[in-house]
């Protein structure tokens, strides 16, 4: 158990830079720095396009890179300085920063973050080989991710980030990441062993890609994960605008966001319990259905509905714990399908596809939804939004994500990998 906790510690600073990038940075660069909604959306879309090339290359390198210190630990350690410095520069821009600043430091952060996240995720997937052991590791990691997320919310909102000059809240968060990521990353590298590798042979890139495409459980999982990620990414991106412009509660934005992720911490052990009772994929499906039911009334709330929206945040936050902890545990299982058929343990390339799917789904919340809302008349910089703009904001915030979640449930409902099937795969892998 101590080595699992040590492994999970870097999740705190990694999470502390993730949520601001998708939720706070767009708001800061548009509302505080005064950049246009379309230019910020386009800049972040460029960063995500870079990810489309960046992720698979790093995933492939993570599997091929075999230094004496360990292929997972070494690449993770190398990535830490670039990730920490890029996050600091992005979160503390000069007052006259342009969209170019956002693009440059966003690209560098993307490179560093991907080089950290892919070996970090593969490392966790390979530390345990049993069905429920993987749920335990992801529960610790995702639980600490939520702790980092709470830090990422508390600091900017407690200090404030409505002024671009001076040491604002986003800048303080950048300083925390600059110090915390190398420190906790070093603890993980020293205290957590390199996982055993069960590769029997090397697979070339073309054959490896063919094995990935033929891995039907993986294809189903990545499709469902992308749609559910889009369903979570859109409201995450629009949350601050919805609470401020639609509900008229700008002072409640920080407390509501904090409460949402605080409830998600409670959802992580609940997800682990449900997975033991009904299996990981069914537990995830039930959580997505419950989230749809809870989220459906959000666009119908009248202005000032603090109590009702707080209840929605509490329920959907609890269910977010399922979204965060169960899919990565299932991902470790679908990698076993590939290892058994290809003969090479290629967790890196699978988590590269996972990372790319995550980033593309979140990009949809910025690169697509922002320009669409602008066309439909929603302007966050306006003194008062139009009725048409507020209606478009409400529908995009809640009902579009519900549709995506329902399709994701349909894909995962009869997922073929349960505990017995995964145990059989591990027997094949470990007996050669």
């Amino acid at each position: 158990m101590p080595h699992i906790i040590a492994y999970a510690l870097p999740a705190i600073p990694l999470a502390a830079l993730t949520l601001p990038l998708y939720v706070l940075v767009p708001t800061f660069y548009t509302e505080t720095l005064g950049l246009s909604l379309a230019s910020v959306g386009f800049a972040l879309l460029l960063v995500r396009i870079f990810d489309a090339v960046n992720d698979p290359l790093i995933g492939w390198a993570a599997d091929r890179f075999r230094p004496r210190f360990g292929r997972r630990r070494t690449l993770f350690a190398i990535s830490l300085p670039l990730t920490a410095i890029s996050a600091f520069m992005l979160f503390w821009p000069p007052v006259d920063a342009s969209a170019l600043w956002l693009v440059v430091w966003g690209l560098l952060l993307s490179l560093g973050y991907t080089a950290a996240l892919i070996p970090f995720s593969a490392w966790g997937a390979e530390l345990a080989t049993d069905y429920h052991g993987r749920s335990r590791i992801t529960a610790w990691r995702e639980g600490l991710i939520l702790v980092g997320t709470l830090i990422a919310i508390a600091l900017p909102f407690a200090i404030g980030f409505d002024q671009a000059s001076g040491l604002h809240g986003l800048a303080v968060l950048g300083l925390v990441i600059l110090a915390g990521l190398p420190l906790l990353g070093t603890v993980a590298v020293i205290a957590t062993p390199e996982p055993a590798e069960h590769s029997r042979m090397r697979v070339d890139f073309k054959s490896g890609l063919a094995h990935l495409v033929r891995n039907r459980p993986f294809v189903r999982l990545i499709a469902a994960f992308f749609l559910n990620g889009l369903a979570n990414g859109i409201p995450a991106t629009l949350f601050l605008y919805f609470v401020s412009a639609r509900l008229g509660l700008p002072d409640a934005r920080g407390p509501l966001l904090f409460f949402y992720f605080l409830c998600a911490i409670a959802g992580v052990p609940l997800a682990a319990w449900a997975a033991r009772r009904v299996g990981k994929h069914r537990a995830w499906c039930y959580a997505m259905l419950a989230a749809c039911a809870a989220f459906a009334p959000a666009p119908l709330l009248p202005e000032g509905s603090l109590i009702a929206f707080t209840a929605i945040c509490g329920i959907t936050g609890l269910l977010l714990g399922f979204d965060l902890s169960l899919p990565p545990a299932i991902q470790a299982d679908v990698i076993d399908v590939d290892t058994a058929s290809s003969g090479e343990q290629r967790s890196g390339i699978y988590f590269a596809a996972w990372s790319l799917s995550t980033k593309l789904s979140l990009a949809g919340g910025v690169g697509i939804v922002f320009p669409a809302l602008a066309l439909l008349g929603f302007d966050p910089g306006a003194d008062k939004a139009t009725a048409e703009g507020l209606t478009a904001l409400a529908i995009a915030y809640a009902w579009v994500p519900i549709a995506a979640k329902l399709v994701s449930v349909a894909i995962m409902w009869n997922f073929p990998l349960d505990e017995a099937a995964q145990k059989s795969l591990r027997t094949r892998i470990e007996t050669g």
Side-chain angles (χ1 to χ4, degrees):
M1 185 64 74
H3 75 275
I4 293 176
I5 298 173
Y7 157 75
L9 282 175
I12 298 174
L14 285 172
L17 68 87
T18 304
L19 179 113
L21 181 61
Y22 294 104
V23 179
L24 303 183
V25 164
T27 304
F28 181 79
Y29 276 75
T30 54
E31 292 186 357
T32 305
L33 293 182
L35 302 182
S36 72
L37 196 66
S39 67
V40 170
F42 181 70
L44 294 178
L45 185 60
L46 286 179
V47 174
R48 300 286 76 82
I49 292 172
F50 174 72
D51 283 332
V53 178
N54 189 24
D55 280 325
L57 288 178
I58 290 178
W60 180 83
D63 289 332
R64 286 286 185 254
F65 189 44
R66 284 179 168 83
R68 180 175 300 179
F69 191 63
R71 59 178 180 166
R72 305 307 180 203
R73 292 192 298 175
T74 303
L75 183 56
F76 175 73
I78 291 172
S79 72
L80 298 178
L82 175 62
T83 308
I85 293 170
S86 300
F88 171 71
M89 298 299 287
L90 191 66
F91 293 170
W92 199 356
V95 294
D96 58 348
S98 65
L100 180 62
W101 180 278
L102 178 59
V103 169
V104 170
W105 288 109
L107 292 175
L108 290 173
L109 178 58
S110 169
L111 178 62
Y113 180 72
T114 301
L117 185 65
I118 289 176
F120 183 59
S121 301
W123 193 2
E126 294 166 358
L127 281 174
T129 59
D130 62 294
Y131 187 80
H132 292 298
R134 287 166 170 171
S135 297
R136 185 165 55 251
I137 289 173
T138 58
W140 271 102
R141 185 182 64 216
E142 302 305 321
L144 291 184
I145 281 176
L146 290 167
V147 171
T149 302
L150 292 178
I151 293 171
I153 297 166
L155 282 178
F157 281 102
I159 299 171
F161 58 102
D162 54 353
Q163 296 293 327
S165 59
L167 193 63
H168 50 77
L170 206 55
V172 172
L173 182 61
L175 287 169
V176 169
I177 294 169
L178 184 64
L181 182 57
L183 176 63
L184 296 181
T186 301
V187 171
V189 167
I190 293 173
T192 310
E194 181 75 12
E197 185 180 354
H198 293 281
S199 297
R200 303 188 309 273
M201 58 183 293
R202 288 286 188 95
V203 179
D204 62 42
F205 183 79
K206 183 177 179 181
S207 298
L209 185 61
H211 278 289
L212 187 145
V213 172
R214 288 198 298 266
N215 188 339
R216 300 300 294 275
F218 167 73
V219 173
R220 286 179 64 169
L221 177 63
I222 203 75
F225 182 75
F226 173 80
L227 289 168
N228 189 62
L230 188 65
N232 291 337
I234 291 174
T237 303
L238 299 179
F239 179 87
L240 300 183
Y241 300 119
F242 181 82
V243 175
S244 180
R246 174 65 177 77
L247 297 181
L249 301 167
D251 293 338
R253 297 188 302 180
L256 284 171
L257 201 58
F258 189 90
F259 178 65
Y260 173 74
F261 285 104
L262 185 64
C263 291
I265 293 178
V268 170
L270 182 61
W273 172 84
R276 287 193 298 270
R277 295 294 299 271
V278 299
K280 289 183 279 197
H281 69 278
R282 275 295 165 85
W284 186 31
C285 287
Y286 289 138
M288 287 190 284
L289 288 172
C292 290
F295 215 43
L300 305 177
L301 295 177
E303 186 174 345
S305 301
L306 178 60
I307 295 175
F309 191 67
T310 299
I312 291 174
C313 288
I315 296 169
T316 55
L318 188 73
L319 297 168
L320 178 66
F322 288 71
D323 282 338
L324 292 176
S325 60
L326 295 181
I330 302 171
Q331 173 76 339
D333 298 337
V334 303
I335 294 171
D336 286 343
V337 176
D338 182 277
T339 306
S341 64
S342 72
E344 183 177 8
Q345 187 170 300
R346 302 182 306 131
S347 303
I349 194 66
Y350 273 85
F351 277 100
W354 190 257
S355 174
L356 178 59
S357 175
T358 301
K359 293 171 182 176
L360 288 176
S361 63
L362 289 171
V366 178
I368 298 173
V369 174
F370 271 16
L373 286 177
L375 287 174
L376 292 171
F378 177 69
D379 180 6
D383 293 335
K384 186 172 180 59
T386 64
E388 293 80 5
L390 290 176
T391 299
L393 173 65
I395 291 173
Y397 176 75
W399 289 348
V400 171
I402 286 174
K405 273 188 179 289
L406 290 176
V407 178
S408 181
V409 170
I411 293 171
M412 288 300 297
W413 187 255
N414 290 316
F415 192 69
L417 273 185
D418 57 11
E419 185 175 2
Q422 191 272 335
K423 186 176 181 179
S424 176
L425 285 170
R426 290 308 308 181
T427 301
R428 287 174 55 192
I429 292 168
E430 293 169 15
T431 59

